[in-house]
């Protein structure tokens, strides 16, 4: 696959790439590193706290996050797995860079552990019961083709109906 990472951009709902199941990254090549760095750039420009590869049209199990906007907190998760979800769940209003103007409350386990490879191919493990736990679960969902509109309650879905229709119209007109 040849791929110009500079040309990547964030795709909006209902782009079909957002519904694909991502595949494990087989090898940590320069191309993978370039894509991850470009994704960090796009996430900061947006600005957002996380971005998954399917959101830029690449079906790799890879996402980036930064819960503070401080570049020192940039994280890249390659082939991540989640484990040890807390029994306690919390509802929190989420947005998504692929769903501009749309927000809704999503219930998730409050705490979670994530294991992944970093950009150097080194395995690492983190646990959080704060905003990072929320981001990791949201981004991990993207790797399965799941979006917040699938998870929010009926009232939030209804409140966002017009914004969703508008995104669908925009896509149809492209
Ligand atoms: Zn998202």
């Amino acid at each position: 696959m040849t791929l110009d990472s500079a040309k990547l951009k964030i795709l909006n709902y209902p782009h079909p790439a957002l519904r694909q199941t991502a595949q494990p990254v087989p090898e940590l090549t320069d191309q993978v590193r370039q894509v991850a760095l470009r994704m960090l750039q796009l996430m900061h420009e947006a600005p957002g706290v996380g971005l998954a590869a399917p959101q830029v049209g690449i079906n790799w199990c890879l996402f980036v996050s930064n819960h503070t906007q401080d570049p020192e907190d940039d994280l890249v998760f390659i082939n991540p797995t989640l484990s040890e979800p807390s029994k306690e769940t919390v509802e929190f209003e989420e947005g998504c860079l692929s769903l501009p103007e749309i927000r809704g409350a999503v219930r998730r386990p409050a705490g979670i552990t994530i294991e992944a490879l970093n950009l150097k191919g080194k395995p690492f493990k983190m646990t959080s019961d704060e905003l990072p736990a929320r981001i990791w679960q949201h981004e991990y969902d993207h790797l399965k083709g799941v979006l917040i509109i699938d998870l929010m309650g009926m009232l939030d879905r209804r409140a966002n109906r017009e914004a969703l229709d508008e995104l669908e119209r925009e896509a149809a007109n492209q």
Side-chain angles (χ1 to χ4, degrees), residues 55 96-97 138-139 142:
Q55 293 181 273
C96 178
L97 294 179
H138 175 119
E139 301 310 329
H142 276 298

Side-chain angles (χ1 to χ4, degrees), residues 1 20-29 32 53-54 58-63 77-81 117 140 143-144:
M1 181 175 59
Q20 285 179 4
T21 304
Q23 304 298 313
V25 177
E27 200 188 344
L28 237 167
T29 59
V32 174
I58 298 179
N59 71 332
W60 288 344
C61 290
L62 185 162
F63 63 77
F77 299 84
I78 298 165
N79 298 340
T81 56
L117 301 176
Y140 189 81
L143 308 183
K144 309 251 177 252

